[in-house]
Amino acid sequence: MKTFKCSQPQTLKDFTDANFPQGSFCFAQLLRAKDIKVNGVRVNKNIGLRTGDKIVYYTTEKQESMPTHNKVFEDGNIYIADKLSGVSTEGLLAELNAHGTYFPVHRLDRNTCGLIVYAKTHGAEEALLKAFKEHEVKKTYTAICKNCFKSDGGTLAAYIKKDEKNALVKVYDKPTDGAQKIITEYKVEQKTEELGFITVTLHTGRTHQIRAHMAHIGCPVLGDNKYGDESLNKKYGLSRQCLLSKRLEFTALSGVLSYLNGFCVESGQALSLKSSRN
């Protein structure tokens, strides 16, 4: 059993995702069994919460022990986690903060797995925020995409604009009011008739950049339910994007984190064309 208090109006689902990853894993099951109470009342649907509401999850020890990540590296300044798919950045942060003090400096989409960094001091937070903003951390991803690639590699430039209302972004080939430039480098490593396994290096870091940019060139990420190919996702039975934050390399950190320059880490997780097949 886990008990929480709501700090701002939101849905029960959003609250669970951001505060209790293990509850998020089995959210539908908990609702069906009426194993969630809000202010002492059992609920069976995703209701709205108000500030001050008390939420109790009647989870089992097995459910509460479900892993959210593997620790890759930790010292007095930073914590690098290898996040599992289905865990939100906010939910992982909440879990870590139950045992110490951690600060977010970048994020991964909930269904994107792999490496994510948290700061443990304000000095490290400041240095990492600067590093990610100024691209002093080299980020390499792997992905499985629809194989409509016209080239086996290249560096793509485009412009991306947020649609806040629909929680989406749109990519344009030419400069557009309100859009920011994006640069995405990719290489096709393996391919079948339908799918391509690629590595991606981000030269800019915008919301949904890889997912939206790959979809824009006709090669959406397999399993992507926002920008993907619905029929292809259904064929392979996937509802989470096959996208992995595989490698981080610290290149030009300053101040308290300068000792990390040249340090790189890799996720222990892997995507493969073989594992995506039915």
Side-chain angles (χ1 to χ4, degrees):
M1 185 179 75
K2 293 287 185 180
T3 302
F4 298 86
K5 191 171 184 178
C6 184
S7 61
Q8 61 183 19
Q10 59 195 291
T11 67
L12 178 60
K13 178 69 166 60
D14 287 343
F15 177 86
T16 307
D17 289 346
N19 292 276
F20 185 27
Q22 288 78 11
S24 183
F25 290 152
C26 51
F27 185 71
Q29 178 185 345
L30 292 170
L31 287 180
R32 285 195 299 271
K34 293 186 178 181
D35 280 337
I36 303 176
K37 279 186 179 180
V38 177
N39 297 328
V41 179
R42 293 185 181 271
V43 298
N44 62 358
K45 61 182 179 180
N46 182 26
I47 64 171
L49 299 178
R50 298 170 298 181
T51 301
D53 282 351
K54 180 182 177 182
I55 304 96
V56 180
Y57 301 86
Y58 291 92
T59 40
T60 65
E61 288 187 11
K62 182 178 179 180
Q63 289 170 330
E64 291 172 12
S65 66
M66 293 176 69
T68 59
H69 72 288
N70 291 307
K71 183 173 74 172
V72 175
F73 176 81
E74 181 179 18
D75 67 8
N77 289 310
I78 70 170
Y79 186 99
I80 303 178
D82 194 356
K83 184 181 80 67
L84 302 183
S85 178
V87 179
S88 73
T89 298
E90 297 78 14
L92 179 51
L93 176 64
E95 182 178 84
L96 292 174
N97 277 336
H99 306 284
T101 302
Y102 298 81
F103 306 97
V105 293
H106 71 128
R107 71 183 316 281
L108 292 178
D109 294 330
R110 177 182 170 183
N111 290 332
T112 297
C113 55
L115 300 175
I116 183 167
V117 184
Y118 295 93
K120 295 176 65 176
T121 68
H122 287 297
E125 178 189 21
E126 183 179 347
L128 285 170
L129 287 171
K130 174 181 177 294
F132 279 102
K133 181 179 180 180
E134 298 182 4
H135 316 299
E136 295 166 352
V137 181
K138 184 177 180 181
K139 296 183 283 186
T140 303
Y141 291 73
T142 58
I144 297 175
C145 298
K146 183 177 181 180
N147 182 22
C148 289
F149 292 100
K150 296 179 181 178
S151 170
D152 282 343
T155 300
L156 309 172
Y159 299 85
I160 199 167
K161 185 176 182 179
K162 285 186 179 181
D163 178 354
E164 300 281 4
K165 182 178 180 180
N166 295 304
L168 294 167
V169 299
K170 188 170 182 180
V171 177
Y172 301 87
D173 290 318
K174 298 180 179 180
T176 302
D177 287 346
Q180 296 175 301
K181 188 173 183 177
I182 55 173
I183 301 175
T184 309
E185 180 182 351
Y186 78 94
K187 181 181 179 183
V188 180
E189 305 287 356
Q190 302 173 40
K191 58 185 175 181
T192 65
E193 184 176 344
E194 286 187 322
L195 303 175
F197 174 82
I198 68 171
T199 56
V200 180
T201 300
L202 286 180
H203 295 276
T204 53
R206 309 298 183 193
T207 301
H208 296 175
Q209 178 175 326
I210 295 174
R211 297 164 61 190
H213 211 166
M214 290 298 106
H216 182 67
I217 65 169
C219 306
V221 176
L222 183 66
D224 191 339
N225 59 16
K226 281 183 179 284
Y227 308 99
D229 183 313
E230 185 175 345
S231 61
L232 194 65
N233 294 345
K234 185 175 181 180
K235 177 179 179 179
Y236 286 88
L238 294 171
S239 58
R240 293 179 178 176
Q241 62 263 16
C242 295
L243 182 60
L244 166 65
S245 173
K246 183 63 177 178
R247 188 172 188 268
L248 293 175
E249 180 179 358
F250 300 94
T251 60
L253 298 180
S254 58
V256 296
L257 297 183
S258 59
Y259 67 95
L260 289 172
N261 286 328
F263 179 59
C264 60
V265 291
E266 287 201 4
S267 168
Q269 301 179 71
L271 304 176
S272 73
L273 293 178
K274 183 177 181 180
S275 64
S276 67
R277 297 171 188 157
N278 288 333

